[in-house]
């Protein structure tokens, strides 16, 4: 059970770029489950929910809803979404921050795989006084890749292909790059007062939800 002294507006900002369709299970399925669970808790707490889906542009913004009776609208909205297009996190989050009339809690669900970066978009939310929560959704193999050999890799967003031989040395470099990538995100979020959590999709959803919510991530 979670309690807030007064109702608040919770904005769930969902990355629907093609990279979110990768993984086993697809990262977007995990992100949708998280969004649905958080929405239910917030609606039960009489908070208002707004959802925005984005890829390289804002795809859709759901109407503001309040009360558990509106939960079916949230589920219908989530089920209508499918991953598509490239990613532009900075532009989409900055645009949402500029047009949103009721800043509150912002929960960003994304893998953060954007060559242009993510920092400016998150900073735009903090500058508009959003209480920003970042949940980075990653497939287990993206974090802990363990295979060696020759692979034909394909970028799921651009379609670009590249044949690559992975040996032990390259595998070690990959792990170092991933560790650096996650560490830089963690440091950035700490500097800007953003609450950051990495969700490995191989972890049972119920376990993730309990661990995340018991940190007081939404209601502080």
């Amino acid at each position: 059970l979670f309690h807030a002294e007064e109702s608040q507006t919770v904005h769930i900002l969902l990355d629907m770029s093609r990279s979110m369709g990768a993984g086993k299970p697809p990262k977007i399925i995990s992100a949708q489950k998280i969004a649905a669970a958080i929405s239910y808790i917030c609606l039960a707490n009489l908070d208002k929910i707004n959802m925005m889906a984005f890829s390289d542009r804002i795809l859709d913004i759901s109407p503001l809803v309040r009360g558990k009776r509106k939960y079916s609208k949230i589920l219908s909205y989530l089920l209508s979404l499918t991953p598509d297009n490239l990613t532009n996190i900075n532009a989409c989050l900055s645009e949402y921050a500029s047009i949103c009339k009721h800043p509150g809690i912002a929960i960003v669900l994304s893998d953060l795989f954007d060559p242009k970066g993510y920092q400016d978009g998150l900073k735009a939310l903090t500058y508009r006084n959003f209480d920003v929560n970042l949940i980075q959704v990653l497939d287990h193999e993206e974090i802990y890749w363990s295979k060696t050999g020759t692979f034909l890799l394909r970028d799921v967003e651009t379609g670009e292909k590249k044949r690559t031989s992975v040996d032990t040395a390259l595998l070690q470099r990959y792990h170092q790059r991933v560790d650096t990538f996650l560490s830089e995100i963690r440091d950035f979020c700490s500097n800007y007062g953003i609450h950051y959590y990495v969700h490995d999709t191989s972890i049972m959803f119920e376990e993730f939800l309990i661990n995340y919510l018991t940190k007081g991530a939404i209601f502080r």
Side-chain angles (χ1 to χ4, degrees):
L1 297 175
F2 299 86
H3 173 73
E5 292 182 0
E6 57 183 26
S7 64
Q8 47 202 344
T9 302
V10 179
H11 306 263
I12 298 179
L13 313 180
L14 192 59
D15 183 351
M16 292 302 300
S17 58
R18 287 195 192 104
S19 67
M20 289 293 287
K24 297 180 181 180
K27 289 177 283 186
I28 188 57
I29 298 296
S30 296
Q32 287 170 317
K33 286 183 177 181
I34 294 168
I38 291 175
S39 295
Y40 182 83
I41 293 170
C42 292
L43 292 176
N45 195 61
L46 299 181
D47 294 316
K48 291 172 281 189
I49 292 288
N50 217 23
M51 285 198 175
M52 184 271 280
F54 68 93
S55 56
D56 58 345
R57 66 193 189 284
I58 291 179
L59 301 174
D60 192 21
I61 299 176
S62 70
L64 194 68
V65 298
R66 185 178 185 181
K68 287 194 292 184
R69 292 184 179 181
K70 300 295 180 66
Y71 186 56
S72 61
K73 293 185 180 296
I74 293 291
L75 295 181
S76 296
Y77 178 81
L78 289 171
L79 290 172
S80 72
L81 301 174
T82 55
D84 190 28
N85 286 327
L86 306 178
T87 314
N88 195 334
I89 296 173
N90 287 330
C92 294
L93 297 187
S94 296
E95 181 181 355
Y96 188 80
S98 67
I99 64 177
C100 183
K101 297 180 180 179
H102 304 286
I105 294 175
I107 299 174
V108 181
L109 291 158
S110 173
D111 56 15
L112 297 187
F113 289 163
D114 186 344
K116 297 177 291 298
Y118 54 86
Q119 295 91 338
D120 290 345
L122 292 174
K123 284 192 284 188
L125 293 172
T126 64
Y127 294 158
R128 281 294 314 279
N129 295 320
F130 282 88
D131 182 2
V132 183
N133 295 256
L134 172 61
I135 303 177
Q136 187 179 17
V137 183
L138 296 174
D139 181 71
H140 185 77
E141 285 295 312
E142 292 172 340
I143 308 173
Y144 304 107
W145 182 264
S146 58
K147 300 173 184 177
T148 57
T150 301
F151 303 92
L152 180 62
L153 304 178
R154 181 175 65 87
D155 188 308
V156 295
E157 295 197 356
T158 66
E160 179 183 357
K161 295 180 181 180
K162 183 176 182 180
R163 187 172 296 278
T164 303
S165 294
V166 180
D167 56 15
T168 303
L170 184 57
L171 191 64
Q172 184 176 5
R173 285 175 57 196
Y174 174 83
H175 290 156
Q176 291 172 346
R177 290 288 297 273
V178 170
D179 289 344
T180 299
F181 178 53
L182 299 181
S183 179
E184 288 174 349
I185 298 171
R186 189 177 301 108
D187 291 343
F188 170 82
C189 289
S190 177
N191 289 337
Y192 283 89
I194 296 171
H195 309 277
Y196 174 56
Y197 196 101
V198 177
H199 174 45
D200 179 343
T201 58
S202 69
I203 297 174
M204 289 184 60
F205 173 70
E206 294 81 3
E207 180 180 342
F208 157 77
L209 191 64
I210 291 171
N211 288 340
Y212 179 65
L213 294 178
T214 51
K215 293 178 181 293
I218 300 177
F219 303 123
R220 282 180 287 275

